[in-house]
Structures are given as C-alpha cells and as structure tokens.
Amino acid sequence: MSNLLLKVENLSIAFGGLKAVDDLSFEMNHGEVYGIIGPNGAGKTTAFNCITQFYKPDAGKIIFDSKEDGMINLVGHKPHQVIGRGLVRTFQNVELIASLSVIDNLLVGAHIAFKSTLPEQVFRLPRARREEKQLRARAMEVLEMLGLTHIAHMPATMQPYGHQKKLELGRTLMMSPKLIILDEPAAGLNEVETVGLIEIVQRVTKELNCGILLIEHDMNFVSKLCNRICAISFGKRLAIGTPDEIKAHPDVQEAYLGKSDKESGGGEANG
C-alpha cells in the first residue's frame, strides 16, 4: 500500500506575465514533516495558495490522499472542499476572533463539521446540542495536546502571542486533518516557544499520523523538525533532500548567499 500523501506535479502560476511558481514538483508521505524553504519572493506562499486552491494554478496537478475519496486531484476544488477532504492550513498572521474564548475559537475551526441546520442550532434542538457537546469534547482534547486546557474559557486575544500561535494550529486539528499546511509557524516566537512548538508538531505527526507541510525562514527550526526539505528560488525547485543535504547544496547556498562552494576561496557573497 502506498504511503504517498501529497504529490505536486509541474505546478505553475503567473501574475502579469511573471511566473511566481514555475514547474514545481515534489511529494510527501503520510506522517511526514516536509519543509519548503527559499529566499523572500521565492514563491513559497504562492505555492501553498495553489495547493489549497486559494489560487487556481495555470498548470499542474495536486494529487492528495483525501479522507473519503482516496487519491484525487485538488485542482478545480473550492477551498472549503479542500478542507473537507482533509487538507487544512494556517496563515502567516494570527487571525483569532477577539470576542470569543479560547475554546470557542477552536470551535470556529470545526464549523464545516456541523451537520445540524441553522434552525436546529438557533433553537438548540437535540442534534445541535449533541454535535456541540461532541465538538467541545474534541476541543478539550486539542487543548490538552497544546498544553492550554487551563485557559480554555479565557479570551483568546488576551493570551500571549505564543499561545495564540498554538491556537492557530489547534483550529486546524479540530477537523481531524490528514495534512496541515503551516505558513511560518515559528515567526515571532522566542526560543522557549519555538522548542514547545517543535514538540507539539512532533506529537501531532506521531499520535495522529498527520502530515505537516511548512514554510519557515528559521533554518534551525526546519532542521530540527523536517524529515525532508524542498528548496525553491524564483518559483523553481533547486533541490530536495534531508536538512543536512539541503544546507550543503551549492545551488541552495548560491540562492541564499549569492555564492556557492564551487567559487574559489569561498569569498564574499555577491550582492
């Protein structure tokens, strides 16, 4: 049985004639932590937006082992359909609802899981009450995994930034996903918070067999967490390998530093 979770094939998209993602291909397995790295403007977030169908690519396939239908091509699906298939994401900026508690912000992440109708919810009919009870129990399980059960009923936006970043991840877990896409999850975190996030992501992949695909500029974070990395520049793939292989790859060094080890003397980086 194949262990393939996601396969991106020849993905391309252009804006005004400028190719933001150019014939990009990579694949990842179930339960794997996979990183996408590259300089600013390399096309990392654009690739994520194509995978999740916020952008419609000009060419390519996005093959995903979905919850109910097995291997499907996500191209042409609407974003909410992608979520329903088991692929969810976070964004670079924390987007919590200020008027809601921590646990209620998690419940927002499970909105498409509700089967009861609006009238059933408004009038608190039996099916709506059962669903809310089940999802609140699920939310408490997620908060336990995040180490945040003690603040479940406190205002979400009053919490430290590190807790808010965890809640962003927690909302994705409410849908019991097969793949979570994280856009710069460690941005703005201090060293202690970063270590805590690494532990949480490792627990998610181990206990839930959930794949993690992430963008991150902190190479130390990526090296500690990712099984494999795909480095890109100007929308094109430079290299795929383990963290050590990627850090030693001359094309990656050139893209980041303006030089490669092949240049004589390892002199100053070119501007």
Side-chain angles (χ1 to χ4, degrees):
M1 183 177 179
S2 173
N3 196 36
L4 184 67
L5 175 60
L6 177 72
K7 185 175 184 178
V8 175
E9 294 184 353
N10 309 114
L11 188 67
S12 296
I13 187 171
F15 301 100
L18 177 65
K19 280 209 168 184
V21 179
D22 189 358
D23 200 33
L24 179 65
S25 297
F26 67 90
E27 58 186 60
M28 62 176 293
N29 297 319
H30 286 273
E32 184 175 18
V33 183
Y34 197 102
I36 305 289
I37 66 167
N40 288 333
K44 303 183 297 296
T45 296
T46 302
F48 274 16
N49 286 335
C50 289
I51 293 169
T52 54
Q53 293 298 283
F54 281 86
Y55 294 163
K56 301 303 177 185
D58 299 326
K61 296 180 180 180
I62 302 159
I63 308 301
F64 177 64
D65 187 9
S66 64
K67 276 186 174 182
E68 298 177 357
D69 303 318
M71 304 301 293
I72 61 170
N73 186 0
L74 294 177
V75 174
H77 286 67
K78 296 179 179 178
H80 74 274
Q81 294 173 324
V82 172
I83 295 170
R85 295 288 194 269
L87 195 162
V88 298
R89 69 171 294 178
T90 65
F91 294 86
Q92 290 181 10
N93 298 323
V94 175
E95 298 288 351
L96 301 177
I97 301 175
S99 60
L100 297 182
S101 67
V102 166
I103 192 169
D104 285 337
N105 265 278
L106 289 190
L107 290 173
V108 169
H111 67 284
I112 67 171
F114 281 95
K115 305 300 181 185
S116 53
T117 63
L118 181 60
E120 285 177 311
Q121 294 178 35
V122 169
F123 294 105
R124 305 283 296 159
L125 297 182
R127 183 165 72 156
R129 294 200 304 271
R130 284 196 304 271
E131 284 187 335
E132 183 174 348
K133 182 178 179 180
Q134 291 168 354
L135 288 170
R136 283 190 176 274
R138 171 61 182 160
M140 288 303 296
E141 291 175 358
V142 170
L143 289 175
E144 187 279 327
M145 179 171 282
L146 300 175
L148 298 178
T149 54
H150 61 292
I151 60 168
H153 302 289
M154 298 176 67
T157 55
M158 297 294 289
Q159 304 310 309
Y161 185 70
H163 286 1
Q164 293 187 33
K165 292 285 281 189
K166 287 182 181 180
L167 286 176
E168 283 277 306
L169 173 59
R171 283 199 300 206
T172 69
L173 294 174
M174 288 299 296
M175 290 303 300
S176 300
K178 299 184 76 170
L179 173 60
I180 301 172
I181 291 182
L182 303 178
D183 197 344
E184 297 191 22
L189 300 183
N190 61 37
E191 186 175 349
V192 173
E193 291 168 337
T194 300
V195 170
L197 179 60
I198 289 173
E199 292 173 351
I200 289 170
V201 171
Q202 289 173 334
R203 185 177 177 188
V204 167
T205 56
K206 181 179 180 180
E207 296 183 12
L208 305 181
N209 193 35
C210 179
I212 303 288
L213 176 61
L214 64 88
I215 293 169
E216 184 53 62
H217 288 290
D218 184 343
M219 194 61 193
N220 188 46
F221 178 87
V222 172
S223 297
K224 289 181 178 178
L225 194 53
C226 292
N227 305 108
R228 289 185 296 155
I229 297 170
C230 175
I232 67 174
S233 182
F234 297 106
K236 285 182 171 290
R237 189 180 84 186
L238 293 177
I240 290 176
T242 66
D244 287 341
E245 290 170 341
I246 290 299
K247 284 187 286 187
H249 198 286
D251 291 341
V252 176
Q253 293 176 351
E254 186 170 7
Y256 271 97
L257 304 174
K259 66 174 184 178
S260 77
D261 284 348
K262 291 180 287 187
E263 295 181 8
S264 61
E268 294 294 325
N270 296 322

